[in-house]
Structures are given as structure tokens and as C-alpha cells.
Amino acid sequence: MARIAFIGLGNMGGGMAANLAKAGHDVRAFDLSAEALARAKSAGCLPAESAAATIEDAEAVITMLPAGRHVEQVYEEAVFGNAAKTALLIDCSTIEVATARRLAEAAAAKGLTAVDAPVSGGIGAANAGTLTFMVGGSAAAFERAEVFLADMGKAVIHAGGNGAGQAAKICNNMILGATMIATCEAFVLARKLGLDPQKFFDIASVSSGQSWSMTTYAPVPGVGPETPADHDYQGGFAAALMLKDLRLAMDAAASVDADTPMGAKAAELYQRFVDMGEAGRDFSGIIRMLEKGEK
Ligand code: NAD
């Protein structure tokens, strides 16, 4: 079993670090939040006093931080100066493609190997060890990362070179944001046309309108499998995080001159939903905004 440094023990990182400890690894963990650190300790991790203190002799340094600037800061202040040349740096946070590439280059310049490995699946999947990892890095680095990531997920996929994991993540979530809105507006229109939502679900979920947003995450209470819609749109994937991913996608699209009008519209609508004070609401709750007909 390996010695692993784990930095960032929030909603996602807490469960991920716990699963590594459960798999028998020696997990040295750090978070700025004392509460998160205490939770990691009770889950079998060894709490450290600083990010730097987790790194000594670590075979893998895993980060699960809010955004690119946090990863950059932790890498520059704690990781680059302390990691052994044999250590593999694995960033699981969702960050800018460009930042992931820049950090991988900075790591390489110091003789270190880095991969980006963002995840699909929410807090439930992080706790259950059923995340999907999309990994950007060399084939050799992927093989090394896979060993650790497999203890936290159900699928580990090599997306391509550095940054490809982040590219896959934001492109996937751009589809998700747009299809959720399309699904919500179809349910609203169906109801206004006098169609029973359950009937519409029965039809669309086996017709060409089918998507994950329809079949697995239906945004209407009492329709389809149990989803956040059945719990007043609490839990699930917060609208603020969907907006974060859509903004990353829009910035990335602008940087390569890609035309993404549906993604842009989705970002605009999620911005409006968040501005209504719904940042913490599950992203499927945007159906309420559409029902109200907010323009
Ligand atoms: P979170 O805010 O719950 O956790 C982040 C943790 O990082 C916090 O505990 C915070 O104290 C800690 N932190 C911040 N700066 C730090 C530093 N300098 N040193 C040490 N710790 C520091 O966020 P989360 O929901 O766990 O998300 C983490 C990442 O995963 C994000 O990039 C997010 O976009 C991505 N993600 C989240 C979900 C989800 O459903 N929550 C799903 C997929 C991907």
C-alpha cells in the first residue's frame, strides 16, 4: 500500500480520501478547515499541520480544491518544493484547461510528473467510491495514476495529454447544462399543452428526446427515478457548480475560437438562476425559473 498526500477534504475530497484510507493506503491529509480535517481523521486518514507536511515520501499527491487558483497556490507553495521526483501529482479538481497545462509544464520543469484527473459524479459517488475519472497526461503517468484512482472510482479513462481530462469534463458538463435546460423547458411546455408529465416522461424517455437529464435525473417531482426534484431540489449538483463549469467551458471556447451558442445560453440562464438566490439549489431546479417564465 502507498503513502498518499491528500489536500482538500471538502464535499468531494473527504469521501475520496476516506476511500483511499479504507483501501489500506497511508493517507496524510490536509485542509484549511479544522472540521474537514477532523472528519478525515475519523475516516482513517492521518491529519497533517500543513499542505507541505503531507508531502514527505508521498508516492502520490492528490488535490481536490475549489478552483484553479487554489491548485496553483498549493502546488507553488507546498508541492513543488517538497515532492520527491518519484511522486505523481494528481489534481482531481475541476479547473481551467490552460491552468492544468501550465501546472503540468511547471511540474515537468522541476522533474515532476503531473496529471489532471477531474471527476464526474457528485458527493454520493465520492463517498461510495463510484466516481468516473477523466485523466490528462502521458500514457505512463496514466498507468501510474490509475492504480490510485481505481480505489475511488468505478471508471478511470485516459482522455489524452495534459489538460485533456479538464477538456473532457467541461465539454461533458456543457452538454449536461444544455440538455437539462432543454429537458426542463420541454416539461414546462408539455404541461402547458395539457400533457401529463408522467406520460411525457414515459414517451420521451424511450424516444429521441431521451438523455441522462430526462431518464436518470428527471427534473419533475414524482416522475422517473428518485431525483433532487423529489426533495425540493436539495442535494445533488448545485447550480453554482454547474455555472462554474459552464464558465470554464465558455472561457475555453473563447480561447480556441469555438462556436458554442447552446453552452453560452446555458451559462446565461444558470447565471440568472444563481442571481435569483438559488446558487445552492440542485441544477435541475432551474425548471422553477422556466415555469415562472422569468425573462
Ligand atoms: P468544497 O468547497 O466542498 O471543498 C474544497 C475544500 O478545499 C474545502 O474543504 C476547503 O477548505 C479546501 N481548501 C481550499 N483551499 C485550500 C488550501 N489552500 N489548502 C488546503 N485546503 C484548501 O468543494 P467540493 O465540492 O469538494 O469540490 C472540489 C472540486 O471538485 C471543485 O473543483 C469542484 O468543481 C469539483 N467537483 C465537485 C462536484 C460536487 O458535486 N461537489 C462534482 C464534480 C466535481
Side-chain angles (χ1 to χ4, degrees):
M1 288 297 123
R3 177 173 289 193
I4 300 174
F6 204 112
I7 303 162
L9 308 161
N11 289 323
M12 298 293 288
M16 292 164 69
N19 283 323
L20 287 170
K22 209 187 292 170
H25 296 293
D26 171 6
V27 183
R28 310 279 159 109
F30 179 70
D31 194 291
L32 294 175
S33 150
E35 208 181 311
L37 208 51
R39 266 198 309 274
K41 187 181 178 193
S42 61
C45 302
L46 200 72
E49 280 180 4
S50 65
T54 62
I55 314 273
E56 197 187 349
D57 294 334
E59 290 168 48
V61 178
I62 303 179
T63 40
M64 192 52 165
L65 295 162
R69 65 180 187 283
H70 305 96
V71 181
E72 210 151 18
Q73 187 194 3
V74 167
Y75 271 27
E76 273 159 16
E77 290 177 6
V79 179
F80 286 157
N82 293 295
K85 295 281 181 274
T86 49
L88 178 67
L89 315 186
I90 306 174
D91 178 39
C92 296
S93 330
T94 303
I95 69 171
E96 306 82 1
V97 176
T99 305
R101 291 195 174 132
R102 198 166 60 241
L103 288 175
E105 277 167 25
K110 294 180 186 325
L112 297 163
T113 305
V115 298
D116 47 292
V119 305
S120 178
I123 300 161
N127 290 333
T130 56
L131 292 165
T132 293
F133 290 90
M134 31 208 117
V135 185
S138 69
F142 170 74
E143 272 184 31
R144 289 173 62 198
E146 196 178 13
V147 176
F148 303 108
L149 300 178
D151 285 331
M152 301 182 282
K154 64 170 166 37
V156 186
I157 300 167
H158 189 199
N162 287 107
Q166 298 295 350
K169 165 78 187 177
I170 57 171
C171 289
N172 179 75
N173 279 22
M174 188 174 76
I175 297 174
L176 178 61
T179 56
M180 178 53 79
I181 293 169
T183 305
C184 288
E185 66 185 30
F187 268 111
V188 172
L189 175 61
R191 188 181 54 74
K192 289 192 173 178
L193 293 172
L195 186 57
D196 175 56
Q198 181 64 51
K199 276 280 167 235
F200 176 54
F201 173 84
D202 292 345
I203 294 164
S205 61
V206 294
S207 299
S208 45
Q210 187 275 336
S211 72
W212 187 88
S213 297
M214 169 64 73
T215 316
T216 308
Y217 217 87
V220 177
V223 172
E226 190 176 357
T227 65
D230 297 307
H231 305 283
D232 196 27
Y233 303 95
Q234 301 295 336
F237 183 45
L241 287 176
M242 173 50 84
L243 179 59
K244 173 197 164 184
D245 292 354
L246 288 168
R247 281 197 191 129
L248 287 174
M250 291 309 97
D251 289 348
S255 75
V256 292
D257 201 21
D259 196 16
T260 52
M262 298 295 285
K265 192 68 191 172
E268 183 194 319
L269 290 167
Y270 274 107
Q271 180 70 64
R272 204 180 297 167
F273 188 53
V274 165
D275 289 346
M276 288 166 64
E278 301 287 13
R281 190 84 63 184
D282 180 73
F283 80 119
S284 65
I286 200 166
I287 193 169
R288 287 190 172 166
M289 184 177 95
L290 299 170
E291 271 163 352
K292 282 189 205 143
E294 299 259 353
K295 290 280 183 296

